[in-house]
Amino acid sequence: MKIKTYITSLIICASCLSPAWADTPGTVSDAGRKASVPISSYPGKSELPLKALLRLADHGDSEAMFEAGRCYESGRDTEANPLKAVQYYKKAADQGNAYGQVAYALCRLNGHGMASDKKQFIEYITKAAEQGNKFGLLLLGKAYNYGWGVNMNHQTAAQYYRKAAAIGCSSANVALGQMYLLGEGGLPQDPAQAAELFEAATEQGDSYAPLSLANLYMHGYGIKQDCSKAADLLELGLSRGDYSACNLLGQLYEWGQGRPKDINKAIELYTLAAEHNSAPALRNMGRIYLDGIGVVQDSQKAGEYMQKAAKLGDPDAQYWCGRMHEQGNGLYKNMKLAVEYYEKAAKLGHADAQYTLGMLYKRGRGVARNTSAANSYLRAAAQQGHKLAINELNGTASLAQPAAETNSPASQTASSQPRHSAAPMTVGSIMEELRGYAQRYEHAAE
């Protein structure tokens, strides 16, 4: 597979998997979990009752204004009131308080407490960055990385990430590590450098860096392969509140790599990650029930899990929803819906989905026969090394039943196999498990 596959765009998104406030005591989150306001409490003020903070705020104390905004945001010492929270964040921001500027900027980005306004986000996050605030620098870097209110510019993003990292922002180290994995922002593709940055962020206490570093240890990419070390890192991430680590840790228990083989423990971890909306974990639970691995086989439950993962944008799950609709196994038989799911997965670069669509268009099954569309999909799959697509294009396809028409996900889909035992390893497959967490911030990147 080539590096620039459907996973690549999600790896880019995954560089915001480590929120800006990961190296601070806590967060103030909006209901949509799009992004959250970093917290760096002011000594002597963070524990003051709201009434005291409001009195100080009335006398022009910008720190008290920020802390009052936190109270209204979190519902501490009062009922939660997003609108009042935004009002006090803006008061603090207009007084030149850098944390108030960051908080207000994120509210404008997310549309929290008021309408979304990316111009206002850029205006206030730039003010915070100009004061040398590490969160301002980090988020301005993300703005350039994803085009939040500015033209996308990975080089400029990397510059801001470096500035933030230089003053101790662990999340900036994670973001830079992602860029080194991709060779973006004028940086060379250097997985060893990425590993160093992930390790530095882990040592800084970042909650989500252990997951990134564990992926590299699992696959021996940029660092010596060590599944036991990977498992240790995933447990560390979980202890820091990263439930996305549960899915990958569950896979190690399922495979018996780095930890004793224990399907019950694996299912326990998949379930925990799924409860926190990890798309890969939801997909794994679908696979577990579809094949009856450690549980009573239940196609209906499998379909429910796969649909949830597909809605979160997981291309493997979208592909399997297509298969299940096509076969009427776990989801009702409906070729129109099957094709729709295949198309969603194919747009994200899923090679099996591209091959399947190619064959459907070639045979006129569920769609009008279209040789041009068939060849286009088959070429896309072949470019990723899909052997059946290559054979089909070369006219050497086997008379045996093609993989896309078999029934068991365990027998055919790469999502059910240990990623590091599949060939050849790519950045995309290494970082695949970051997708579930990246989805939490997808809306903020829109």
Side-chain angles (χ1 to χ4, degrees), residues 282-322:
L282 287 163
R283 181 232 308 146
N284 273 331
M285 287 301 294
R287 173 177 57 82
I288 289 289
Y289 276 102
L290 191 59
D291 279 355
I293 303 172
V295 297
V296 176
Q297 197 273 344
D298 189 329
S299 297
Q300 184 174 346
K301 271 192 176 181
E304 292 171 359
Y305 277 115
M306 287 294 189
Q307 282 186 318
K308 289 178 181 178
K311 286 179 181 178
L312 289 171
D314 184 284
D316 282 328
Q318 290 168 345
Y319 167 71
W320 276 103
C321 282

Side-chain angles (χ1 to χ4, degrees), residues 176-241:
L176 278 172
Q178 302 290 350
M179 294 192 114
Y180 273 109
L181 279 178
L182 294 171
E184 289 190 341
L187 303 176
Q189 189 175 354
D190 188 343
Q193 181 62 36
E196 288 184 14
L197 288 163
F198 293 153
E199 187 165 6
T202 298
E203 291 175 355
Q204 287 175 304
D206 189 276
S207 298
Y208 305 101
L211 174 61
S212 300
L213 187 57
N215 268 285
L216 300 187
Y217 269 112
M218 281 181 64
H219 301 291
Y221 191 70
I223 201 166
K224 185 178 179 180
Q225 186 176 21
D226 188 336
C227 288
S228 179
K229 177 67 173 177
D232 291 342
L233 284 163
L234 292 168
E235 288 175 348
L236 176 62
L238 180 56
S239 73
R240 293 177 179 177

Side-chain angles (χ1 to χ4, degrees), residues 28 50 64-74 81 84-86 88-89:
V28 179
L50 179 59
M65 294 172 187
F66 173 73
E67 293 293 345
R70 287 184 58 201
C71 288
Y72 283 118
E73 178 81 13
S74 63
N81 189 323
K84 282 192 174 182
V86 172
Y88 276 97
Y89 288 149

Side-chain angles (χ1 to χ4, degrees), residues 135-171:
F135 303 116
L137 291 164
L138 173 71
L139 288 168
L140 192 53
K142 290 187 183 296
Y144 280 102
N145 208 11
Y146 307 118
W148 297 348
V150 292
N151 292 328
M152 190 180 295
N153 187 319
H154 291 158
Q155 287 187 319
T156 301
Q159 291 170 6
Y160 281 113
Y161 288 155
R162 285 191 181 281
K163 290 179 181 179
I167 54 176
C169 182
S170 65
S171 299

